[in-house]
Amino acid sequence: MTTPVLPRFEGGHRALGISVALGVVGLAATALGAFLDVRQALAGYLFGFTYWLGLCLGALLLLAVFHAAKARWPVVLRRALEVMAATAPLFLLLFVPLALGLRHLYPWVEPSPGLGEHTLHVLEHRRPYNNVPFFLVRAALYFVTWGGVSHLLHRWSVRQDATGDVRWTLWQRRLGGGALPALALTFSFMTLDWMMSLEATWQSTVYAVHVFSGSFVGALALLIIAGAATRDTQHFGSLLSPGHYHRLGTLLFAFVCFWAYIAYSQFMLMWIAALPEEVGWYRVRMEDGWGALSMALVLGHFVIPFALLLSRELKSRPRVLGAVALWLLAMHAVDVAWLLFPSLFPGRVFIPWTALTAWVGVDQG
């Protein structure tokens, strides 16, 4: 099925210029922060990087699922999802600062004797997996997978528009279904490598699903916002009917519930097991200011959007649904911060100012 072709967006060069300028300023400010405190700058950069990469991969997974399911109703959503997913190769360039600063973030790169005998023993046991050369090889494999799949899906979609040949749709469906296992595995190992390994000894088999569910909610929210923002133009939003918004709102509702289920399941199982290495991860996030942030996530990422998205009427109103989606994008940022910063700055409640500059820089860059 052919993806609708929209007229060229007027003023696009100006918007692109502003976006690039903001990106340069944000990344430059983050780089300046590195001269003041390298670790804090890299911590903020990791936050911005993982936040936007998660939305990119969420869009790619959603696109692959639509193709695998041979769904017809989201045909008007494909080009927007393809554009979101097509940014995956850009993250290879954005990954360079993290690759250069691994020793400032990850305790397994240069273990300090102050970590304790038990922690050092665990890190040594994991050395065959957690070492810099293998870490970089895995990262390269992730980017090749994401970039290859996103490029082919977009390329074949454009050819479908140009030629009208149905075989390009068939190829997209085959690749979408066939690539899902590889996308799921690379996403899972990415979260283990770049996020979970910030903790020297902590591990969880549900962590990757937690990150995925939040990213998927964010990708759906961003798609809804893009549609609502362009609804009164002759572009993407004009193609979406109330039925499209209702279906997107229903998906958003489902994955808000899924995120809550996964987050609660991980917490419940670890708290019941009461293993010191696992419970400690949650104790930090339940004390002082992090405890308040945890409660904000319960209310803001689940209770409030759950109550709002129960309404059928709300899900059919683009502006109102867009406002809920914008709220969930903000809550996803809180979730990513909650996952990262207590591990990076144990013993204190701290979010570096470079988190904001990097968030702007990676987004606009």
Side-chain angles (χ1 to χ4, degrees), residues 203-215:
Q203 58 184 347
S204 168
T205 56
V206 190
Y207 187 90
V209 187
H210 181 154
V211 179
F212 157 75
S213 58
S215 299

Side-chain angles (χ1 to χ4, degrees), residues 89-120:
L90 298 177
F91 284 93
L92 174 59
L93 179 61
L94 293 169
F95 181 72
V96 172
L98 294 176
L100 295 175
L102 290 179
R103 65 185 180 89
H104 297 287
L105 294 175
Y106 300 98
W108 50 265
V109 177
E110 295 180 358
S112 169
L115 292 174
E117 183 178 349
H118 174 69
T119 300
L120 292 174

